[in-house]
Amino acid sequence: MNSRIWLVAVLLAAPAVAQARSIADQLRKLDPEERAHQVCVIKGIDTIRRDGKLPKADRIKTSITGRAEFTGGEVSTKGGAVRAKSHWYKLKFTCAVSEDQMKALSFKYEVGAEIPEETWEDLGLWR
Protein backbone atom coordinates (compact mmCIF):
# COMPACT_ATOMS: atom_id res chain seq x y z
CA MET A 1 0.00 0.00 0.00
CA ASN A 2 2.82 2.44 0.81
CA SER A 3 4.35 1.87 -2.63
CA ARG A 4 1.08 3.08 -4.19
CA ILE A 5 1.17 6.35 -2.30
CA TRP A 6 4.86 6.83 -3.06
CA LEU A 7 4.43 6.22 -6.79
CA VAL A 8 1.55 8.68 -7.07
CA ALA A 9 3.64 11.27 -5.18
CA VAL A 10 6.44 10.79 -7.73
CA LEU A 11 3.90 11.17 -10.54
CA LEU A 12 2.68 14.51 -9.25
CA ALA A 13 6.09 15.95 -8.41
CA ALA A 14 8.40 15.12 -11.35
CA PRO A 15 8.85 17.13 -14.59
CA ALA A 16 7.10 15.56 -17.60
CA VAL A 17 10.02 13.99 -19.52
CA ALA A 18 11.88 12.70 -16.50
CA GLN A 19 8.55 11.72 -15.04
CA ALA A 20 7.75 9.29 -17.87
CA ARG A 21 11.09 7.48 -17.46
CA SER A 22 10.86 7.48 -13.68
CA ILE A 23 7.33 6.12 -13.66
CA ALA A 24 8.20 3.34 -16.11
CA ASP A 25 11.29 2.45 -14.06
CA GLN A 26 9.28 2.36 -10.84
CA LEU A 27 6.44 0.36 -12.41
CA ARG A 28 8.87 -2.34 -13.58
CA LYS A 29 9.91 -2.89 -9.96
CA LEU A 30 6.37 -3.74 -8.86
CA ASP A 31 4.69 -7.13 -9.03
CA PRO A 32 2.16 -7.43 -11.91
CA GLU A 33 -0.95 -6.87 -9.79
CA GLU A 34 0.45 -3.80 -8.05
CA ARG A 35 1.68 -2.46 -11.41
CA ALA A 36 -1.84 -2.90 -12.86
CA HIS A 37 -3.34 -0.98 -9.93
CA GLN A 38 -0.83 1.84 -10.39
CA VAL A 39 -1.35 2.32 -14.13
CA CYS A 40 -5.10 2.37 -13.49
CA VAL A 41 -4.71 5.05 -10.80
CA ILE A 42 -2.64 7.16 -13.20
CA LYS A 43 -5.12 6.68 -16.06
CA GLY A 44 -8.05 7.24 -13.71
CA ILE A 45 -6.87 10.60 -12.42
CA ASP A 46 -6.21 11.78 -15.97
CA THR A 47 -9.57 10.52 -17.28
CA ILE A 48 -11.62 11.98 -14.42
CA ARG A 49 -9.89 15.36 -14.80
CA ARG A 50 -10.36 15.45 -18.58
CA ASP A 51 -14.02 14.45 -18.39
CA GLY A 52 -14.59 17.46 -16.14
CA LYS A 53 -16.38 15.45 -13.44
CA LEU A 54 -13.73 16.40 -10.89
CA PRO A 55 -11.18 18.62 -12.71
CA LYS A 56 -9.06 18.95 -9.56
CA ALA A 57 -8.86 15.19 -8.85
CA ASP A 58 -5.44 14.34 -7.45
CA ARG A 59 -5.68 10.97 -5.66
CA ILE A 60 -7.40 7.63 -6.14
CA LYS A 61 -7.57 4.78 -3.66
CA THR A 62 -8.67 1.49 -5.16
CA SER A 63 -9.80 -0.35 -2.02
CA ILE A 64 -11.47 1.58 0.79
CA THR A 65 -14.74 -0.30 1.32
CA GLY A 66 -13.99 -3.38 -0.74
CA ARG A 67 -10.96 -5.00 -2.27
CA ALA A 68 -10.09 -4.12 -5.87
CA GLU A 69 -9.77 -7.19 -8.10
CA PHE A 70 -7.17 -7.87 -10.79
CA THR A 71 -8.38 -10.62 -13.12
CA GLY A 72 -8.18 -11.25 -16.82
CA GLY A 73 -6.24 -8.10 -17.59
CA GLU A 74 -8.62 -5.81 -15.72
CA VAL A 75 -8.61 -4.01 -12.40
CA SER A 76 -12.08 -3.33 -11.04
CA THR A 77 -13.52 -2.02 -7.81
CA LYS A 78 -16.84 -1.00 -6.38
CA GLY A 79 -15.18 0.27 -3.20
CA GLY A 80 -12.70 2.91 -4.35
CA ALA A 81 -12.42 6.64 -3.71
CA VAL A 82 -11.22 9.73 -5.56
CA ARG A 83 -10.08 12.99 -3.96
CA ALA A 84 -10.59 16.47 -5.38
CA LYS A 85 -10.16 19.80 -3.56
CA SER A 86 -9.67 18.01 -0.22
CA HIS A 87 -12.96 16.11 -0.55
CA TRP A 88 -13.27 12.37 -1.13
CA TYR A 89 -15.94 10.74 -3.30
CA LYS A 90 -16.96 7.13 -3.77
CA LEU A 91 -15.57 5.59 -6.95
CA LYS A 92 -16.39 2.49 -8.98
CA PHE A 93 -14.23 1.64 -11.97
CA THR A 94 -13.07 -0.98 -14.43
CA CYS A 95 -9.69 -0.52 -16.05
CA ALA A 96 -8.18 -2.70 -18.79
CA VAL A 97 -4.39 -3.00 -18.81
CA SER A 98 -1.80 -4.14 -21.34
CA GLU A 99 -0.40 -7.65 -21.12
CA ASP A 100 2.74 -6.38 -19.36
CA GLN A 101 0.64 -4.15 -17.05
CA MET A 102 2.69 -1.10 -18.11
CA LYS A 103 -0.25 0.76 -19.66
CA ALA A 104 -3.92 1.28 -18.89
CA LEU A 105 -5.89 0.78 -22.10
CA SER A 106 -9.28 1.99 -20.88
CA PHE A 107 -10.84 3.41 -17.72
CA LYS A 108 -14.62 3.30 -17.20
CA TYR A 109 -15.85 4.81 -13.96
CA GLU A 110 -18.67 6.18 -11.88
CA VAL A 111 -18.16 8.89 -9.25
CA GLY A 112 -20.55 8.55 -6.33
CA ALA A 113 -21.50 10.56 -3.29
CA GLU A 114 -19.07 12.54 -1.20
CA ILE A 115 -17.60 10.52 1.67
CA PRO A 116 -18.24 12.21 5.05
CA GLU A 117 -15.04 13.46 6.67
CA GLU A 118 -15.89 11.78 9.98
CA THR A 119 -15.41 8.39 8.25
CA TRP A 120 -12.08 9.19 6.59
CA GLU A 121 -9.81 7.87 9.32
CA ASP A 122 -11.56 4.48 9.38
CA LEU A 123 -11.27 4.29 5.57
CA GLY A 124 -7.60 5.34 5.45
CA LEU A 125 -8.36 8.69 3.79
CA TRP A 126 -6.77 12.06 4.50
CA ARG A 127 -7.21 15.74 3.67
Side-chain angles (χ1 to χ4, degrees):
M1 198 72 155
N2 289 336
S3 62
R4 288 183 188 167
I5 294 169
W6 181 83
L7 183 60
V8 172
V10 168
L11 167 70
L12 297 173
V17 174
Q19 176 182 11
R21 276 186 297 229
S22 176
I23 290 170
D25 291 344
Q26 293 302 316
L27 286 170
R28 285 186 195 94
K29 294 177 185 177
L30 301 174
D31 67 69
E33 182 171 355
E34 181 66 23
R35 187 166 49 243
H37 283 260
Q38 287 300 316
V39 298
C40 288
V41 165
I42 293 165
K43 176 79 166 181
I45 290 171
D46 184 55
T47 301
I48 292 168
R49 283 179 181 168
R50 283 187 204 209
D51 287 352
K53 302 245 182 196
L54 295 171
K56 301 289 185 181
D58 64 352
R59 297 283 191 274
I60 287 178
K61 287 198 66 170
T62 60
S63 303
I64 61 157
T65 61
R67 183 169 164 78
E69 299 289 327
F70 174 55
T71 55
E74 282 191 347
V75 175
S76 62
T77 187
K78 293 180 181 177
V82 58
R83 184 180 79 169
K85 294 185 176 180
S86 298
H87 296 269
W88 285 94
Y89 301 87
K90 293 179 180 179
L91 179 68
K92 297 178 186 179
F93 72 81
T94 301
C95 173
V97 298
S98 60
E99 192 172 316
D100 63 0
Q101 300 85 35
M102 290 295 291
K103 185 173 184 176
L105 305 173
S106 67
F107 188 87
K108 297 175 185 169
Y109 70 97
E110 181 181 321
V111 174
E114 185 172 348
I115 300 169
E117 189 168 354
E118 59 270 11
T119 65
W120 289 6
E121 186 174 339
D122 292 338
L123 298 172
L125 303 176
W126 62 95
R127 183 161 289 285

